[in-house]
Amino acid sequence: MKDGFLRVAAVAPEMRVCDVDFNVKKIIEVMDKLEDEGVETAVFPELCITGYTCGDLFMDRTLLNSAAAGLEKIVEASRGRNVDVIVGVPVEISGALYNCAAFVHDGEKTLVAKTYLPTYSEFYERRWFAPAQPEMSCGIFESHGAKIGIEICEDLWATVPPSSRMALEGAQVIFNLSASDDVIGKNGYLMQLIAQQSGRCLCGYVYASAGFGESTTDVVYLPKTVIAENGSVIACNDRRKFLEHPVTIADMDIEAINHDRRHTSTFAECQRNEIGETVAVPFTVGGESASDLKYRKVDAHPFVPSEDTILDERCIEIATIQECGLARRLNAVGSNRIVVGISGGLDSTLALLVAHRTVKALGGDVKDIIGVTMPGFGTTSRTYDNALKMMTLLGITIMEIPIGKAVMQHFSDIGQDPDKHDVTYENSQARERTQILMDLSNRLGGIVLGTGDLSELALGWATYNGDQMSMYGVNAGVPKTLVKYLVRWYAQTCENKELHDTLMSVVETPISPELTPPDEHGNIEQKTESFVGPYELSDFFLYYMLRYGFTPRRVYRLARKAFDGKYDGATILKWMKTFYRRFFTQQFKRSCMPDGPKVGSVSLSPRGDWRMPSDASSAVWLKEVELLEREL
C-alpha cells in the first residue's frame, strides 16, 4: 500500500472446464501482467482452477489431484512477487470436499471455505461440497498493509454475509470469488448488492465472477469484474463484451475507508455489540513511494455528478431539499413574503429561483417575493440588466434602491475617503445592502433570504454582518461549482426562451461582488477568483478536507491527478495555501451563520456538521503546504 492506496484487481481469465493445466497457465500469465501494473491484491473467480461447472466430476480423484497440483504451481509462481492472489479451488479435507478460496502470498497459501452453499433453483452445490466449519470460515488476512477479508459468491447473498463480520473485525477490503450465472434483472440487483455491502460495511469490495469458458449446458455465465468502495461502484467491466477476459484494476482508498469508520460512530458501536470490542487496523503514513493513481479516477468536481442523467436527478433532489427547507421556514413564520437582494450574479439567481418555485409550490402569489436590486459603485450594466430581466420574467415584485447616496453619507460620518478602495469601502456597501433588506423585511412582514453559498462560507468571502447575515440561507449547503450547474439546469429545464438566455448569461458572467468600480469599458474589474483562486480548486480542497480529513499532501496529490493538464503543481499549491489560510481565519463568520439546509455530505453549519474554534491555528496545515512547495 502506497500513500494510503491499495491497488486491487478483479480478474475473469480465459478458462476451460476441467482443464486444470490450461486454467493454471492462464492464471499465472495474468499474474505476470498484474505484477507489471503494480497490482498488490487480486481476486479470481470461484473454482477458477477447475471451472465452476464441473458437476459430478468434482467427485473424480483425477480432477481433485490435478487441482491440488495446479494450486501448488500457482503458489510456487507467487514466490518473489509483489502481487497477492486469491484463487478458487476444490479441496478435500478430512473426507469432505470444500469449495475454497486460496490466499496466495509469496510462496505460501491459506484456505478459506465457502460458508453458504446455494441449493435451490439452478444451484445444487451441496451435492458435492460441505459448508465451511467454523475454523475454516475466518477469511481475514493482511495484504500490503491493508486488512482484507475473503468470502465466496453466495456468502454475499446471505441475510448476514460473512463480510459483515469481517468488516467489524477490521477488514478494510472484501474480496469475493464468484460464479454467478446470468438471467434477466440479476446483474442489476447484483451491482446494487455489491455497492450496498461496501457502503454498509464502510469498506472496499472486489468481486470477480466466472465468464466465457464455463459450461452453457443449462445456464450462461457472463464475465463480471466489479470494484466498489464506500457504497459506490468505482470500476467494472462491460459484460456485453463477453468474449473478452476482463482484468479490472483500481486504486482502493484505504485512508478514506478508515476515515469513514472513525467518523461513523455507529460502526464502532456495532463492533462492540457484535464482537465485543473495537478492532485495531493497520495504519500507515505515506509510503516508500507515492501511488501514481493510475487506476484511480479523481473527479475534478466532486460536488457535481459527472453523468448527465445523474446530474438531472441530483439537481431535482437538491432543488427539492432547498424548496422544502424554505417552505417549512415560511410556514413557521406564517408568511410567504420573501425579500431577496438580486445582483445578477449566480448565488442570488439560484436563491431567487428556489424562492419562486417554493412560493408556487405553496400555492402562494409570486408577487410576495420582493426582489431588490441595489446598484452601487461597482454595478455593471450586464448584471443590472440580467437582474431586472429575471425578476420581470418570473413575475415577482421588483424594487430598485440605489445605495450610492447612503454609502457616501456613511463615508462622511465615519471619515472614510471615498477614493480609497479598501476593505472599508467594500464592506460599507455590503452592510448597507443588508441593512436595506433587513429593514424592508420588517416593514413588509417577510424574511430576508440569504444568497451566500458553501464555498463563500469556507473561504469567508462575505462581509461579516453584511451579506454573511440573513434570516434563512437557502444556498448554505451548495458549493459554487454546483451553484453554476444548478442555474444552468434551471435554464435548460425552463420553458421560456428569454429566461433561458438570461440565466445562461448569468452563468457566463465572471464571479464578482462588484464592490469596486468597473474598468473604463464598463466591465467587471473585481473578479473573485483572482483573489481566492479558481472555485473549482477551492471546492476540491474543501471536499477532501471536510469529507475525508485528508492531509494537504494527499489533497495535493489528488488535485494533481484531477487537474492534470489544466493547473500545474505551483498553481495548485498557491491556491491551496490561500484556501487553508482563509478557511482557518474566517471561522468566526461561520460560527454565527444563519440557518440553512444541508444538501450534501459536506456542511459548515456550526449547529450541525462543523464545530471549530474561531481562533484555531492553521500552522500545521500551512507547514505541510510549504514543504510541498520546497519539494516542487
Side-chain angles (χ1 to χ4, degrees):
M1 184 163 57
K2 299 175 182 178
D3 234 19
F5 289 95
L6 180 72
R7 183 160 293 176
V8 300
V11 185
E14 183 179 0
M15 58 84 61
R16 297 174 185 168
V17 179
C18 295
D19 192 340
V20 172
D21 288 343
F22 179 87
N23 297 339
V24 168
K25 177 185 176 183
K26 292 300 178 182
I27 290 169
I28 293 174
E29 287 177 359
V30 174
M31 288 170 63
D32 292 335
K33 296 176 182 177
L34 296 176
E35 186 84 3
D36 292 341
E37 293 296 335
V39 172
E40 295 164 298
T41 315
V43 64
F44 289 75
E46 181 178 11
L47 296 170
C48 58
I49 288 178
T50 58
Y52 178 76
T53 51
C54 297
D56 286 349
L57 291 172
F58 280 126
M59 293 299 173
D60 190 279
R61 173 55 58 189
T62 302
L63 182 64
L64 295 179
N65 287 346
S66 181
L71 176 59
E72 291 307 315
K73 288 180 182 178
I74 294 171
V75 172
E76 187 61 31
S78 73
R79 293 187 187 279
R81 291 182 187 269
N82 188 58
V83 60
D84 296 340
V85 297
I86 306 163
V87 295
V89 60
V91 178
E92 183 182 6
I93 303 173
S94 302
L97 190 62
Y98 295 91
N99 180 342
C100 289
F103 175 70
V104 181
H105 166 77
D106 195 14
E108 298 180 354
K109 69 176 185 295
T110 307
L111 298 175
V112 178
K114 188 172 183 177
T115 303
Y116 297 104
L117 304 177
T119 309
Y120 56 87
S121 299
E122 66 266 36
F123 300 104
Y124 34 93
E125 286 188 29
R126 279 182 179 266
R127 181 179 175 92
W128 314 296
F129 300 110
Q133 301 301 308
E135 66 275 10
M136 302 165 61
S137 61
C138 182
I140 299 181
F141 306 89
E142 187 166 320
S143 179
H144 300 278
K147 213 168 183 180
I148 70 168
I150 298 171
E151 64 183 3
I152 303 174
C153 200
E154 185 76 7
D155 292 347
L156 172 62
W157 298 72
T159 306
V160 182
S163 53
S164 295
R165 186 170 184 87
M166 292 176 196
L168 293 175
E169 291 176 347
Q172 297 147 315
V173 186
I174 304 297
F175 291 85
N176 186 310
L177 308 83
S178 183
S180 182
D181 64 320
D182 285 81
V183 293
I184 294 172
K186 184 177 180 180
N187 187 67
Y189 180 76
L190 173 64
M191 296 291 281
Q192 292 177 11
L193 201 61
I194 292 169
Q196 284 292 321
Q197 187 66 356
S198 75
R200 182 179 299 107
C201 294
L202 299 176
C203 69
Y205 204 100
V206 188
Y207 176 96
S209 182
F212 195 79
E214 287 289 356
S215 171
T216 58
T217 299
D218 292 302
V219 292
V220 171
Y221 296 83
L222 298 175
K224 293 176 282 293
T225 51
V226 186
I227 302 175
E229 179 183 301
N230 279 355
S232 299
V233 172
I234 60 173
C236 66
N237 73 303
D238 183 351
R239 66 193 181 109
R240 294 173 299 181
K241 300 177 180 178
F242 53 82
L243 293 176
E244 297 180 357
H245 307 288
V247 177
T248 299
I249 303 174
D251 290 316
M252 187 74 68
D253 195 339
I254 304 301
E255 189 170 323
I257 290 167
N258 289 343
H259 169 274
D260 279 2
R261 290 183 174 184
R262 290 193 307 270
H263 175 74
T264 309
S265 59
T266 49
F267 185 86
E269 290 175 10
C270 198
Q271 281 183 322
R272 289 190 291 270
N273 290 341
E274 297 298 324
I275 64 176
E277 60 180 345
T278 54
V279 177
V281 297
F283 174 72
T284 58
V285 177
E288 292 183 1
S289 59
S291 170
D292 58 13
L293 300 179
K294 179 180 179 181
Y295 292 102
R296 182 79 183 184
K297 182 181 183 299
V298 183
D299 195 340
H301 304 112
F303 288 109
V304 181
S306 55
E307 298 179 23
D308 289 341
T309 54
I310 299 176
L311 177 61
D312 188 64
E313 180 182 321
R314 186 68 57 83
C315 288
I316 293 171
E317 187 175 20
I318 293 169
T320 303
I321 292 171
Q322 288 182 289
E323 291 162 26
C324 180
L326 179 56
R328 179 65 186 95
R329 184 50 54 97
L330 293 173
N331 180 263
V333 300
S335 172
N336 287 344
R337 190 67 57 85
I338 298 171
V339 177
V340 56
I342 306 299
S343 67
L346 279 170
D347 294 335
S348 64
T349 296
L350 179 58
L352 173 59
L353 293 168
V354 171
H356 189 265
R357 287 169 61 108
T358 302
V359 171
K360 289 184 70 175
L362 290 170
D365 185 348
V366 295
K367 288 293 183 181
D368 279 335
I369 303 171
I370 297 90
V372 187
T373 178
M374 296 168 281
F377 306 136
T379 302
T380 60
S381 59
R382 176 172 182 168
T383 55
Y384 174 76
D385 291 343
N386 281 339
L388 290 178
K389 284 180 184 177
M390 278 190 298
M391 292 189 286
T392 300
L393 291 167
L394 290 171
I396 70 169
T397 299
I398 303 172
M399 293 186 69
E400 181 173 332
I401 305 176
I403 64 169
K405 289 183 179 180
V407 173
M408 289 300 289
Q409 178 62 52
H410 184 60
F411 285 166
S412 176
D413 292 341
I414 66 172
Q416 168 70 16
D417 181 356
D419 293 326
K420 185 179 182 182
H421 299 165
D422 57 6
V423 66
T424 304
Y425 179 89
E426 295 184 20
N427 286 349
S428 294
Q429 297 175 70
R431 292 193 179 104
E432 177 61 28
R433 286 178 170 137
T434 301
Q435 175 178 264
I436 290 170
L437 295 175
M438 288 289 183
D439 293 345
L440 194 58
S441 71
N442 290 158
R443 187 177 71 81
L444 298 175
I447 65 169
V448 175
L449 190 64
T451 62
D453 62 47
L454 180 65
S455 305
E456 293 180 343
L457 287 167
L459 295 165
W461 193 253
T463 299
Y464 189 72
N465 204 32
D467 53 308
Q468 170 255 358
M469 188 49 60
S470 68
M471 294 169 183
Y472 196 69
V474 75
N475 293 338
V478 186
K480 187 75 76 177
T481 48
L482 189 52
V483 170
K484 180 174 285 191
Y485 274 89
L486 284 167
V487 174
R488 182 181 286 117
W489 173 75
Y490 275 107
Q492 293 169 345
T493 55
C494 77
E495 298 178 356
N496 185 308
K497 176 65 166 58
E498 193 174 358
L499 179 59
H500 167 275
D501 293 345
T502 304
L503 293 177
M504 290 307 299
S505 177
V506 171
V507 169
E508 294 160 5
T509 301
I511 299 169
S512 171
E514 292 192 318
L515 294 173
T516 59
D519 64 20
E520 63 273 17
H521 304 294
N523 297 319
I524 294 173
E525 177 76 16
Q526 186 185 28
K527 297 178 181 178
T528 300
E529 290 177 301
S530 65
F531 296 93
V532 300
Y535 270 114
E536 61 181 351
L537 278 180
S538 59
D539 280 359
F540 187 90
F541 304 150
L542 176 67
Y543 179 82
Y544 283 104
M545 178 191 178
L546 266 65
R547 175 64 182 84
Y548 293 110
F550 285 167
T551 64
R553 179 178 292 276
R554 206 160 198 271
V555 175
Y556 170 70
R557 186 170 305 286
L558 292 169
R560 289 298 301 268
K561 170 79 173 182
F563 295 102
D564 184 37
K566 186 167 188 179
Y567 302 112
D568 60 20
T571 301
I572 292 171
L573 289 175
K574 171 188 174 181
W575 296 119
M576 180 179 280
K577 183 182 287 186
T578 298
F579 171 81
Y580 283 112
R581 178 180 57 81
R582 292 193 65 96
F583 185 85
F584 278 82
T585 60
Q586 301 297 300
Q587 172 62 28
F588 73 99
K589 295 177 182 176
R590 299 188 291 268
S591 293
C592 59
M593 60 182 278
D595 293 351
K598 175 180 178 178
V599 299
S601 59
V602 174
S603 171
L604 286 169
S605 169
R607 298 166 296 277
D609 289 60
W610 189 251
R611 296 164 182 83
M612 170 183 166
S614 296
D615 47 10
S617 172
S618 60
V620 174
W621 288 262
L622 292 177
K623 179 181 179 181
E624 189 163 317
V625 177
E626 289 163 2
L627 179 60
L628 287 167
E629 288 178 322
R630 289 197 293 273
E631 291 175 2
L632 185 65

